[in-house]
Amino acid sequence: MSFLVRKITMSMWPRNKYGGLSDISADTLTNVLKTKNNELSFWKAENEEEIKEVGVSIFSRLNGRQSSISLVVIPYEELEGISSLKNSPKHGDTAIPKLKIRHYDLCNLTGESLCATADAIAKRTSNLDLNQIIDLDKDEAITVLQKMLTDGEVDKSLLGDFMKGELLNQHNG
């Protein structure tokens, strides 16, 4: 089964007793689900290992210090039913070139389809028993990125300021 993965800020999403769209704040819709050209960015993964690679890919571009990130994991078919999906490697913002091919955009979004996407995310943030929220901590990301850097899989020029400092200090130390 294929999944679409997106970094989220858990504090912006309903945590318990989600009753529908009225439980999602307007700020979440406008500040968190930022669309560009009626598109919303996701990453495709086939299994838990690839989901973690997506998280590492997101960590690779961080500029500000962050101790962990949360990823929402939604079955591909569920979002495909909301709006059209297209593979968009050119939009894949990562310092790991081989992962760019996993970038997808949910396209042709309208108010209705954006709200349906928000609903799909909120159902997962409010029911953690679904195991569709994965937390990845900085130290785990650094370990994986350090190995990828050693193996020549990281474009150092594309690293975010935070990870550049973390990785290059360890790599040179």
Side-chain angles (χ1 to χ4, degrees), residues 6-145:
R6 182 176 172 83
K7 178 183 173 283
I8 60 169
T9 303
M10 285 293 291
S11 63
M12 297 294 292
W13 293 94
R15 293 300 296 267
N16 296 311
K17 300 179 184 171
Y18 175 63
L21 290 173
S22 62
D23 290 340
I24 300 173
S25 74
D27 285 347
T28 298
L29 292 174
T30 58
N31 295 331
V32 176
L33 293 182
K34 296 177 187 171
T35 61
K36 185 174 181 182
N37 298 320
N38 298 315
E39 297 177 351
L40 191 61
S41 177
F42 285 89
W43 296 83
K44 189 174 182 185
E46 301 297 327
N47 53 48
E48 189 171 343
E49 181 181 332
E50 288 187 3
I51 292 167
K52 288 198 177 191
E53 285 178 347
V54 165
V56 169
S57 175
I58 292 168
F59 253 113
S60 78
R61 294 289 294 151
L62 292 180
N63 286 312
R65 183 165 187 74
Q66 207 161 344
S67 61
S68 67
I69 60 171
S70 295
L71 304 168
V72 64
V73 180
I74 303 172
Y76 184 93
E77 295 78 20
E78 185 174 338
L79 289 180
E80 186 179 42
I82 290 172
S83 197
S84 62
L85 281 158
K86 74 174 178 184
N87 186 235
S88 53
K90 68 181 178 186
H91 295 157
D93 191 14
T94 178
I96 308 166
K98 73 177 188 175
L99 296 183
K100 285 181 174 274
I101 192 70
R102 292 195 199 160
H103 188 270
Y104 279 72
D105 286 321
L106 189 58
C107 303
N108 305 315
L109 288 166
T110 63
E112 183 177 351
S113 56
L114 184 62
C115 286
T117 304
D119 183 60
I121 294 170
K123 285 176 181 172
R124 284 150 179 88
T125 62
S126 64
N127 185 359
L128 298 180
D129 292 339
L130 291 175
N131 294 322
Q132 293 179 323
I133 301 294
I134 294 180
D135 294 316
L136 180 67
D137 70 36
K138 169 192 75 140
D139 293 334
E140 186 177 358
I142 288 171
T143 299
V144 173
L145 278 169

